[in-house]
Amino acid sequence: MISTLKLSDITSKWRDALKASTSIQNYCSSKYNQTPKIYVGINGKKMPADTDCPLIILYPGAKTEGLELKEYTYKLTVGWIILQNATTTTNNITEYSGVAECDELGQLIYQELAGLSTDNPISEMNYSIEPVAYYPRFPGRMDITIKLTPVNGYNIEY
């Protein structure tokens, strides 16, 4: 038996965890008066409307497996978007509230996913926020890598 793990299994686990997360649900409810919409994949030709924000998008990515590998690698991406046009100006400093709020939601998402599997934790995460190009939408993105050591003859559990 070849050890393998489907990307869709990881995505499904993440989807369910984000949906059940009280910290994410409470944050979005208090800031935006609605819970986040969660997408597994997205239609790039018809993006969600502003009324769908906040939203979280799970992108199944890529994996590297094989009998000759000592370590398997799974790469997935999580995106999120909040809508916020509020600004504050004090003593010649203007702050766009969406920058901090996008980061806060991203951190909650990361903490939720990082705590899912203590046996197979997140190995690497690259995180970015785009505070300029899509105003008043503030999108964030994290590319996540999970590295697992397979045992031939056994299913991989995540």
Side-chain angles (χ1 to χ4, degrees), residues 145-156:
T145 301
I146 300 170
K147 296 179 181 178
L148 305 177
T149 303
V151 177
N152 287 332
Y154 292 93
N155 284 331
I156 300 172

Side-chain angles (χ1 to χ4, degrees), residues 39-127:
Y39 294 81
V40 177
I42 197 80
N43 180 349
K45 294 179 182 179
K46 186 175 188 283
M47 293 299 287
D50 286 351
T51 55
D52 293 324
C53 294
L55 60 90
I56 300 169
I57 308 164
L58 302 172
Y59 301 88
K63 67 179 182 174
T64 304
E65 298 177 333
L67 291 175
E68 295 184 10
L69 296 175
K70 294 185 187 308
E71 184 175 74
Y72 290 0
T73 303
Y74 304 87
K75 295 182 178 187
L76 298 96
T77 298
V78 179
W80 63 97
I81 302 171
I82 61 128
L83 186 70
Q84 180 57 268
N85 58 13
T87 61
T88 57
T89 301
T90 308
N91 298 327
N92 295 328
I93 297 173
T94 299
E95 291 190 49
Y96 289 82
S97 302
V99 175
E101 290 176 19
C102 183
D103 189 30
E104 288 169 357
L105 179 56
Q107 288 298 308
L108 292 173
I109 292 168
Y110 177 64
Q111 289 170 339
E112 191 66 43
L113 298 179
L116 279 181
S117 180
T118 55
D119 292 335
N120 301 307
I122 290 173
S123 302
E124 183 179 332
M125 187 264 298
N126 295 304
Y127 181 105

